[in-house]
Amino acid sequence: MSQTPITIPARRGKAARVAHGQTVRIINTHGEQVVDTWAFNAADIGEFMSMEHSRAGMLHLTPHVGDTLLTNRRRPILTLVEDTAGNVHDTLIAACDRWRYEGLGCTEYHDNCQDNLFQGLSELGLTPPEVPSPLNLFMNIPWTPSGGISFDPPVSTPGCYVVLRAEMDLVIAFSACPQDILPINGRAGKPTEAHFVVS
Amino acid sequence: MSQTPITIPARRGKAARVAHGQTVRIINTHGEQVVDTWAFNAADIGEFMSMEHSRAGMLHLTPHVGDTLLTNRRRPILTLVEDTAGNVHDTLIAACDRWRYEGLGCTEYHDNCQDNLFQGLSELGLTPPEVPSPLNLFMNIPWTPSGGISFDPPVSTPGCYVVLRAEMDLVIAFSACPQDILPINGRAGKPTEAHFVVS
């Protein structure tokens, strides 16, 4: 059991093992930073947190405190137990990837959350079987009554955090989103590090 | 080129090859029937229609006429060109699967859309690399301003349809959803066949 904050470096990924019953506090250290989050069953990486299964169970577009996120086999994997970020998170949008940045006009390699998932897990000797749709903590994607959605600037403040409780032994993976073209990490376009504590 | 209606048998899957530029008319023959829909690049089954990538491109929770659905590599794969079902479709909810029915109390095997995807594709000699989140045609999952969602009875009428245009050579797969416990296919709990025409 560790209480030492672990750094998710700016524009990079980081993963860690979490035991059933432990909690993970994800801290938006400098504010305005989106943190893409994935979780995999430690005993079988083919089972993982799934946004489309979680929505069917939570009956919410984004997790509220007390909601449990489900795997692609409909089993509880993480519960949101605390949230000081005003419940502004996203389950709708894919991780950014190289094709996203090509579409935004980049002609050279751009850091991206999909590659960060692979990089973070590779440090634990793991390779994900696919790229699940992430839980995008602190990401501001509002919806309208007619179903319009938009990529809005963040409302997360420095030091705000969420706490997730592990409902099985799992591997959690994060990406400090490197998006600096859209204002999703703030209008300054300066993605930052974030931190997490497993306890 | 075929104009003959193809049957998606009640509670079963069906797949077909569609050439770039062809259209697929999916007909809710008897009304009230949800049709889970997937599409795969015919040249590389590892590229497929992705709801989380499509929402990021469409900027809508559900496709509107004129919206293009994207693959997991952000390329256009299908465009919604006509819709007589009142734009009531879903991109939020996973295909039903055996774990879903176990959770709903079934103690014996229940037909499910996930297995129907595999069955439909297997008839073409194909195996999907994973189970993408489906485009759930005619499925009524409304959302509230605070982000609540619900599984509501269908509003689709007999003979209503959507037309999708193929933006690449693709394989399209359908499941006539066998859900008969929740009212998503109507309060009678009697899933029916549906049909599609490739032209």
Side-chain angles (χ1 to χ4, degrees), chain A residues 55 61 74 92 95 97 130 147, chain B residues 55 61 74 92 95 130 147:
Chain A
R55 285 187 295 261
L61 288 177
R74 312 260 180 187
L92 300 171
D97 48 39
E130 59 183 85
Chain B
R55 285 187 295 261
L61 288 176
R74 313 260 180 187
L92 300 170
E130 59 183 84

Side-chain angles (χ1 to χ4, degrees), chain B residues 18-79:
Chain B
V18 184
H20 184 181
Q22 285 190 305
T23 60
V24 187
R25 181 182 304 255
I26 303 102
I27 306 155
N28 202 330
T29 312
H30 305 284
E32 301 201 337
Q33 178 61 46
V34 169
V35 180
D36 283 34
T37 302
W38 294 267
F40 298 83
N41 178 351
D44 176 2
I45 200 166
E47 181 176 13
F48 46 78
M49 180 168 67
S50 164
M51 293 302 103
E52 55 266 33
H53 293 81
S54 294
R55 285 187 295 261
M58 302 186 302
L59 297 177
H60 290 137
L61 288 176
T62 63
H64 296 194
V65 168
D67 280 348
T68 294
L69 295 133
L70 302 180
T71 71
N72 56 331
R73 296 178 197 163
R74 313 260 180 187
R75 297 201 304 153
I77 187 163
L78 286 169
T79 297

Side-chain angles (χ1 to χ4, degrees), chain A residues 39-111:
Chain A
F40 298 83
N41 177 352
D44 176 2
I45 201 166
E47 181 176 13
F48 46 78
M49 180 169 68
S50 164
M51 293 303 103
E52 56 265 31
H53 293 80
S54 294
R55 285 187 295 261
M58 303 186 301
L59 298 178
H60 289 138
L61 288 177
T62 64
H64 296 194
V65 168
D67 279 348
T68 294
L69 295 133
L70 302 181
T71 70
N72 56 331
R73 295 176 198 165
R74 312 260 180 187
R75 297 200 304 153
I77 186 163
L78 287 169
T79 297
L80 179 60
V81 294
E82 198 175 350
D83 181 3
T84 72
N87 194 224
V88 176
H89 308 292
D90 170 68
T91 74
L92 300 171
I93 301 298
C96 62
D97 48 39
R98 63 187 181 90
W99 303 286
R100 175 62 155 168
Y101 290 104
E102 288 173 10
L104 289 169
C106 294
T107 55
E108 298 189 352
Y109 181 78
H110 192 290
D111 297 321

